[in-house]
Amino acid sequence: EDFWSRFRVETLVAELERKQIDVICELGGGDGRVSIPLISNGLGVISVEPLYSGCVKVAKHGIPVFCGTIQDLKLPKGILPAIGFFDVLEHIENDAEFLNELHRCLATSGRIFLTVPAHQWLYSNHDVALGHFRRYSEAALKERLLSAGFEVEKIGFLFSLLVIPALFLRRIPFVF
């Protein structure tokens, strides 16, 4: 229930409503930080989570959950109408392969929604501790998405004002 989580979910709910998304497959749902508020806002969520502990937490809220990865599901081509993955892509070593699989599973008129940590130049010990392989610039994320066959409709930043504090609190100590 921290400010970041609430703001991110409120922004996401507004975007999903604008795009008239009723059901979303959330990848890497973790402890339900996104899926639980989505459900409480009337959206349908199916969660795919590789960690058993996360699956248990999400399932306790009545959310259908598959314990594994999207690759484990071996879904037919074009079956998912909407996919969400929020602060997940940076944890995946081969992000290009992952995005290619998502593109294969997504319906022709489907949409993806995602968040990632911004600015590779802010990469620090905090990212290492969280298991991140990278951060993304707007250009790098767009290139990755286009290379996987997606059309990019919108890319933006949340919490731009936190870049300077992050630079001083995380990046500079990491460099030295």
Side-chain angles (χ1 to χ4, degrees):
E1 291 301 317
D2 60 272
F3 174 77
W4 158 248
S5 297
R6 281 194 319 272
F7 181 77
R8 182 174 66 165
V9 167
E10 288 169 7
T11 303
L12 177 59
V13 166
E15 190 65 26
L16 292 171
E17 286 174 352
R18 264 194 298 281
K19 302 298 182 190
Q20 300 178 337
I21 304 296
D22 297 325
V23 177
I24 191 165
C25 178
E26 184 190 9
L27 308 179
D31 60 4
R33 192 172 305 213
V34 175
S35 54
I36 293 166
L38 290 180
I39 291 281
S40 69
N41 278 281
L43 293 154
V45 177
I46 299 166
S47 183
V48 178
E49 169 57 43
L51 301 176
Y52 179 75
S53 59
C55 292
V56 170
K57 289 177 183 175
V58 170
K60 284 182 181 177
H61 292 275
I63 298 168
V65 60
F66 174 81
C67 197
T69 66
I70 190 78
Q71 293 90 336
D72 295 334
L73 285 172
K74 299 189 185 333
L75 294 171
K77 182 179 180 180
I79 196 166
L80 297 175
I83 301 171
F85 45 110
F86 311 105
D87 293 340
V88 169
L89 192 58
E90 66 276 8
H91 292 276
I92 298 173
E93 190 167 8
N94 190 339
D95 58 350
E97 183 179 296
F98 175 77
L99 289 170
N100 285 331
E101 176 63 6
L102 296 188
H103 188 266
R104 189 191 70 74
C105 295
L106 192 66
T108 304
S109 61
R111 287 189 153 87
I112 63 168
F113 301 86
L114 69 141
T115 58
V116 294
H119 309 302
Q120 181 63 27
W121 53 268
L122 280 177
Y123 191 86
S124 70
N125 284 331
H126 181 73
D127 293 285
V128 173
L130 291 174
H132 295 175
F133 287 99
R134 72 201 69 74
R135 287 172 159 262
Y136 292 87
S137 67
E138 188 174 322
L141 181 59
K142 186 174 184 176
E143 183 275 323
R144 277 285 198 260
L145 293 168
L146 292 173
S147 292
F150 293 103
E151 293 177 29
V152 177
E153 207 173 285
K154 178 180 175 181
I155 293 181
F157 292 100
L158 298 175
F159 300 107
S160 297
L161 295 175
L162 295 180
V163 170
I164 299 302
L167 175 67
F168 286 104
L169 295 172
R170 292 186 183 161
R171 179 63 184 167
I172 291 174
F174 179 72
V175 171
F176 297 106

PDB file of all heavy atoms in Angstrom, residues 68-90:
ATOM      1  N   GLY A  68       4.198 -20.941 -12.781  1.00  0.00           N
ATOM      2  CA  GLY A  68       5.178 -21.226 -13.819  1.00  0.00           C
ATOM      3  C   GLY A  68       5.426 -19.963 -14.617  1.00  0.00           C
ATOM      4  O   GLY A  68       5.138 -18.856 -14.157  1.00  0.00           O
ATOM      5  N   THR A  69       5.937 -20.131 -15.817  1.00  0.00           N
ATOM      6  CA  THR A  69       6.212 -18.998 -16.695  1.00  0.00           C
ATOM      7  C   THR A  69       5.309 -19.072 -17.918  1.00  0.00           C
ATOM      8  O   THR A  69       4.686 -20.101 -18.186  1.00  0.00           O
ATOM      9  CB  THR A  69       7.684 -19.003 -17.171  1.00  0.00           C
ATOM     10  OG1 THR A  69       7.876 -20.156 -18.012  1.00  0.00           O
ATOM     11  CG2 THR A  69       8.656 -19.036 -15.992  1.00  0.00           C
ATOM     12  N   ILE A  70       5.265 -18.000 -18.670  1.00  0.00           N
ATOM     13  CA  ILE A  70       4.470 -17.977 -19.896  1.00  0.00           C
ATOM     14  C   ILE A  70       4.971 -19.044 -20.872  1.00  0.00           C
ATOM     15  O   ILE A  70       4.184 -19.675 -21.571  1.00  0.00           O
ATOM     16  CB  ILE A  70       4.465 -16.562 -20.539  1.00  0.00           C
ATOM     17  CG1 ILE A  70       3.444 -16.461 -21.670  1.00  0.00           C
ATOM     18  CG2 ILE A  70       5.836 -16.163 -21.034  1.00  0.00           C
ATOM     19  CD1 ILE A  70       2.040 -16.297 -21.223  1.00  0.00           C
ATOM     20  N   GLN A  71       6.282 -19.289 -20.867  1.00  0.00           N
ATOM     21  CA  GLN A  71       6.831 -20.319 -21.747  1.00  0.00           C
ATOM     22  C   GLN A  71       6.343 -21.708 -21.318  1.00  0.00           C
ATOM     23  O   GLN A  71       6.096 -22.571 -22.169  1.00  0.00           O
ATOM     24  CB  GLN A  71       8.367 -20.274 -21.746  1.00  0.00           C
ATOM     25  CG  GLN A  71       8.937 -19.022 -22.382  1.00  0.00           C
ATOM     26  CD  GLN A  71       9.140 -17.872 -21.402  1.00  0.00           C
ATOM     27  OE1 GLN A  71       8.505 -17.791 -20.356  1.00  0.00           O
ATOM     28  NE2 GLN A  71      10.021 -16.949 -21.758  1.00  0.00           N
ATOM     29  N   ASP A  72       6.191 -21.933 -19.996  1.00  0.00           N
ATOM     30  CA  ASP A  72       5.706 -23.222 -19.503  1.00  0.00           C
ATOM     31  C   ASP A  72       4.287 -23.521 -19.971  1.00  0.00           C
ATOM     32  O   ASP A  72       3.902 -24.672 -20.128  1.00  0.00           O
ATOM     33  CB  ASP A  72       5.718 -23.264 -17.964  1.00  0.00           C
ATOM     34  CG  ASP A  72       7.108 -23.187 -17.367  1.00  0.00           C
ATOM     35  OD1 ASP A  72       8.084 -23.582 -18.054  1.00  0.00           O
ATOM     36  OD2 ASP A  72       7.225 -22.717 -16.220  1.00  0.00           O
ATOM     37  N   LEU A  73       3.484 -22.487 -20.173  1.00  0.00           N
ATOM     38  CA  LEU A  73       2.088 -22.668 -20.568  1.00  0.00           C
ATOM     39  C   LEU A  73       1.938 -23.230 -21.981  1.00  0.00           C
ATOM     40  O   LEU A  73       0.943 -23.867 -22.291  1.00  0.00           O
ATOM     41  CB  LEU A  73       1.335 -21.347 -20.470  1.00  0.00           C
ATOM     42  CG  LEU A  73       0.974 -20.887 -19.077  1.00  0.00           C
ATOM     43  CD1 LEU A  73       0.408 -19.477 -19.104  1.00  0.00           C
ATOM     44  CD2 LEU A  73      -0.016 -21.832 -18.428  1.00  0.00           C
ATOM     45  N   LYS A  74       2.903 -22.944 -22.844  1.00  0.00           N
ATOM     46  CA  LYS A  74       2.854 -23.387 -24.245  1.00  0.00           C
ATOM     47  C   LYS A  74       1.484 -23.062 -24.866  1.00  0.00           C
ATOM     48  O   LYS A  74       0.790 -23.930 -25.398  1.00  0.00           O
ATOM     49  CB  LYS A  74       3.177 -24.871 -24.350  1.00  0.00           C
ATOM     50  CG  LYS A  74       4.571 -25.189 -23.832  1.00  0.00           C
ATOM     51  CD  LYS A  74       4.976 -26.607 -24.120  1.00  0.00           C
ATOM     52  CE  LYS A  74       6.297 -27.009 -23.536  1.00  0.00           C
ATOM     53  NZ  LYS A  74       7.311 -26.074 -23.287  1.00  0.00           N
ATOM     54  N   LEU A  75       1.129 -21.797 -24.773  1.00  0.00           N
ATOM     55  CA  LEU A  75      -0.170 -21.331 -25.262  1.00  0.00           C
ATOM     56  C   LEU A  75      -0.238 -21.339 -26.778  1.00  0.00           C
ATOM     57  O   LEU A  75       0.774 -21.149 -27.456  1.00  0.00           O
ATOM     58  CB  LEU A  75      -0.427 -19.906 -24.763  1.00  0.00           C
ATOM     59  CG  LEU A  75      -0.600 -19.740 -23.257  1.00  0.00           C
ATOM     60  CD1 LEU A  75      -0.617 -18.263 -22.890  1.00  0.00           C
ATOM     61  CD2 LEU A  75      -1.878 -20.425 -22.792  1.00  0.00           C
ATOM     62  N   PRO A  76      -1.455 -21.511 -27.309  1.00  0.00           N
ATOM     63  CA  PRO A  76      -1.615 -21.389 -28.764  1.00  0.00           C
ATOM     64  C   PRO A  76      -1.366 -19.948 -29.209  1.00  0.00           C
ATOM     65  O   PRO A  76      -1.532 -19.003 -28.433  1.00  0.00           O
ATOM     66  CB  PRO A  76      -3.087 -21.750 -29.005  1.00  0.00           C
ATOM     67  CG  PRO A  76      -3.599 -22.311 -27.739  1.00  0.00           C
ATOM     68  CD  PRO A  76      -2.682 -21.893 -26.639  1.00  0.00           C
ATOM     69  N   LYS A  77      -1.025 -19.806 -30.452  1.00  0.00           N
ATOM     70  CA  LYS A  77      -0.749 -18.485 -31.027  1.00  0.00           C
ATOM     71  C   LYS A  77      -2.009 -17.617 -30.959  1.00  0.00           C
ATOM     72  O   LYS A  77      -3.114 -18.076 -31.243  1.00  0.00           O
ATOM     73  CB  LYS A  77      -0.302 -18.647 -32.476  1.00  0.00           C
ATOM     74  CG  LYS A  77       0.050 -17.358 -33.155  1.00  0.00           C
ATOM     75  CD  LYS A  77       0.520 -17.585 -34.583  1.00  0.00           C
ATOM     76  CE  LYS A  77       0.857 -16.240 -35.193  1.00  0.00           C
ATOM     77  NZ  LYS A  77       1.316 -16.354 -36.546  1.00  0.00           N
ATOM     78  N   GLY A  78      -1.830 -16.350 -30.567  1.00  0.00           N
ATOM     79  CA  GLY A  78      -2.895 -15.358 -30.623  1.00  0.00           C
ATOM     80  C   GLY A  78      -4.038 -15.523 -29.641  1.00  0.00           C
ATOM     81  O   GLY A  78      -5.125 -15.019 -29.880  1.00  0.00           O
ATOM     82  N   ILE A  79      -3.806 -16.159 -28.515  1.00  0.00           N
ATOM     83  CA  ILE A  79      -4.905 -16.469 -27.592  1.00  0.00           C
ATOM     84  C   ILE A  79      -5.184 -15.394 -26.538  1.00  0.00           C
ATOM     85  O   ILE A  79      -6.296 -15.277 -26.043  1.00  0.00           O
ATOM     86  CB  ILE A  79      -4.668 -17.834 -26.908  1.00  0.00           C
ATOM     87  CG1 ILE A  79      -5.953 -18.330 -26.276  1.00  0.00           C
ATOM     88  CG2 ILE A  79      -3.534 -17.761 -25.906  1.00  0.00           C
ATOM     89  CD1 ILE A  79      -5.919 -19.773 -25.871  1.00  0.00           C
ATOM     90  N   LEU A  80      -4.200 -14.582 -26.193  1.00  0.00           N
ATOM     91  CA  LEU A  80      -4.372 -13.630 -25.088  1.00  0.00           C
ATOM     92  C   LEU A  80      -4.789 -12.246 -25.590  1.00  0.00           C
ATOM     93  O   LEU A  80      -4.103 -11.652 -26.414  1.00  0.00           O
ATOM     94  CB  LEU A  80      -3.077 -13.517 -24.282  1.00  0.00           C
ATOM     95  CG  LEU A  80      -2.615 -14.801 -23.582  1.00  0.00           C
ATOM     96  CD1 LEU A  80      -1.257 -14.588 -22.933  1.00  0.00           C
ATOM     97  CD2 LEU A  80      -3.645 -15.255 -22.562  1.00  0.00           C
ATOM     98  N   PRO A  81      -5.890 -11.708 -25.046  1.00  0.00           N
ATOM     99  CA  PRO A  81      -6.348 -10.389 -25.478  1.00  0.00           C
ATOM    100  C   PRO A  81      -5.559  -9.236 -24.856  1.00  0.00           C
ATOM    101  O   PRO A  81      -5.449  -8.165 -25.450  1.00  0.00           O
ATOM    102  CB  PRO A  81      -7.803 -10.344 -25.017  1.00  0.00           C
ATOM    103  CG  PRO A  81      -7.856 -11.277 -23.850  1.00  0.00           C
ATOM    104  CD  PRO A  81      -6.833 -12.347 -24.133  1.00  0.00           C
ATOM    105  N   ALA A  82      -5.009  -9.452 -23.661  1.00  0.00           N
ATOM    106  CA  ALA A  82      -4.233  -8.406 -22.994  1.00  0.00           C
ATOM    107  C   ALA A  82      -3.246  -9.062 -22.033  1.00  0.00           C
ATOM    108  O   ALA A  82      -3.582 -10.011 -21.330  1.00  0.00           O
ATOM    109  CB  ALA A  82      -5.139  -7.444 -22.243  1.00  0.00           C
ATOM    110  N   ILE A  83      -2.028  -8.538 -22.025  1.00  0.00           N
ATOM    111  CA  ILE A  83      -0.974  -9.055 -21.156  1.00  0.00           C
ATOM    112  C   ILE A  83      -0.389  -7.879 -20.389  1.00  0.00           C
ATOM    113  O   ILE A  83      -0.101  -6.827 -20.967  1.00  0.00           O
ATOM    114  CB  ILE A  83       0.154  -9.730 -21.977  1.00  0.00           C
ATOM    115  CG1 ILE A  83      -0.400 -10.880 -22.823  1.00  0.00           C
ATOM    116  CG2 ILE A  83       1.272 -10.219 -21.051  1.00  0.00           C
ATOM    117  CD1 ILE A  83       0.607 -11.451 -23.823  1.00  0.00           C
ATOM    118  N   GLY A  84      -0.202  -8.081 -19.092  1.00  0.00           N
ATOM    119  CA  GLY A  84       0.445  -7.075 -18.277  1.00  0.00           C
ATOM    120  C   GLY A  84       1.647  -7.667 -17.562  1.00  0.00           C
ATOM    121  O   GLY A  84       1.593  -8.814 -17.108  1.00  0.00           O
ATOM    122  N   PHE A  85       2.727  -6.928 -17.508  1.00  0.00           N
ATOM    123  CA  PHE A  85       3.891  -7.346 -16.719  1.00  0.00           C
ATOM    124  C   PHE A  85       4.543  -6.086 -16.188  1.00  0.00           C
ATOM    125  O   PHE A  85       4.965  -5.216 -16.924  1.00  0.00           O
ATOM    126  CB  PHE A  85       4.855  -8.246 -17.510  1.00  0.00           C
ATOM    127  CG  PHE A  85       5.188  -7.812 -18.909  1.00  0.00           C
ATOM    128  CD1 PHE A  85       6.454  -7.338 -19.216  1.00  0.00           C
ATOM    129  CD2 PHE A  85       4.250  -7.892 -19.922  1.00  0.00           C
ATOM    130  CE1 PHE A  85       6.771  -6.947 -20.511  1.00  0.00           C
ATOM    131  CE2 PHE A  85       4.556  -7.501 -21.214  1.00  0.00           C
ATOM    132  CZ  PHE A  85       5.820  -7.026 -21.512  1.00  0.00           C
ATOM    133  N   PHE A  86       4.535  -5.999 -14.877  1.00  0.00           N
ATOM    134  CA  PHE A  86       4.861  -4.753 -14.195  1.00  0.00           C
ATOM    135  C   PHE A  86       6.094  -4.943 -13.331  1.00  0.00           C
ATOM    136  O   PHE A  86       6.079  -5.671 -12.354  1.00  0.00           O
ATOM    137  CB  PHE A  86       3.644  -4.289 -13.389  1.00  0.00           C
ATOM    138  CG  PHE A  86       2.398  -4.305 -14.240  1.00  0.00           C
ATOM    139  CD1 PHE A  86       1.438  -5.292 -14.096  1.00  0.00           C
ATOM    140  CD2 PHE A  86       2.237  -3.370 -15.251  1.00  0.00           C
ATOM    141  CE1 PHE A  86       0.318  -5.335 -14.911  1.00  0.00           C
ATOM    142  CE2 PHE A  86       1.126  -3.408 -16.083  1.00  0.00           C
ATOM    143  CZ  PHE A  86       0.160  -4.390 -15.911  1.00  0.00           C
ATOM    144  N   ASP A  87       7.178  -4.291 -13.760  1.00  0.00           N
ATOM    145  CA  ASP A  87       8.488  -4.456 -13.136  1.00  0.00           C
ATOM    146  C   ASP A  87       8.908  -5.922 -13.172  1.00  0.00           C
ATOM    147  O   ASP A  87       9.329  -6.502 -12.172  1.00  0.00           O
ATOM    148  CB  ASP A  87       8.499  -3.888 -11.717  1.00  0.00           C
ATOM    149  CG  ASP A  87       8.338  -2.373 -11.714  1.00  0.00           C
ATOM    150  OD1 ASP A  87       8.600  -1.752 -12.764  1.00  0.00           O
ATOM    151  OD2 ASP A  87       7.948  -1.809 -10.688  1.00  0.00           O
ATOM    152  N   VAL A  88       8.803  -6.505 -14.364  1.00  0.00           N
ATOM    153  CA  VAL A  88       9.154  -7.910 -14.608  1.00  0.00           C
ATOM    154  C   VAL A  88      10.259  -8.023 -15.655  1.00  0.00           C
ATOM    155  O   VAL A  88      11.209  -8.782 -15.471  1.00  0.00           O
ATOM    156  CB  VAL A  88       7.904  -8.712 -15.063  1.00  0.00           C
ATOM    157  CG1 VAL A  88       8.277 -10.086 -15.577  1.00  0.00           C
ATOM    158  CG2 VAL A  88       6.884  -8.809 -13.940  1.00  0.00           C
ATOM    159  N   LEU A  89      10.162  -7.266 -16.735  1.00  0.00           N
ATOM    160  CA  LEU A  89      11.066  -7.433 -17.880  1.00  0.00           C
ATOM    161  C   LEU A  89      12.539  -7.312 -17.504  1.00  0.00           C
ATOM    162  O   LEU A  89      13.384  -8.044 -18.032  1.00  0.00           O
ATOM    163  CB  LEU A  89      10.707  -6.413 -18.974  1.00  0.00           C
ATOM    164  CG  LEU A  89      11.339  -6.612 -20.336  1.00  0.00           C
ATOM    165  CD1 LEU A  89      10.998  -7.976 -20.929  1.00  0.00           C
ATOM    166  CD2 LEU A  89      10.903  -5.503 -21.283  1.00  0.00           C
ATOM    167  N   GLU A  90      12.845  -6.446 -16.560  1.00  0.00           N
ATOM    168  CA  GLU A  90      14.241  -6.250 -16.145  1.00  0.00           C
ATOM    169  C   GLU A  90      14.817  -7.460 -15.418  1.00  0.00           C
ATOM    170  O   GLU A  90      16.023  -7.593 -15.275  1.00  0.00           O
ATOM    171  CB  GLU A  90      14.372  -4.990 -15.272  1.00  0.00           C
ATOM    172  CG  GLU A  90      13.661  -5.077 -13.947  1.00  0.00           C
ATOM    173  CD  GLU A  90      12.174  -4.736 -14.000  1.00  0.00           C
ATOM    174  OE1 GLU A  90      11.613  -4.557 -15.096  1.00  0.00           O
ATOM    175  OE2 GLU A  90      11.575  -4.635 -12.920  1.00  0.00           O
TER     176      GLU A  90
END
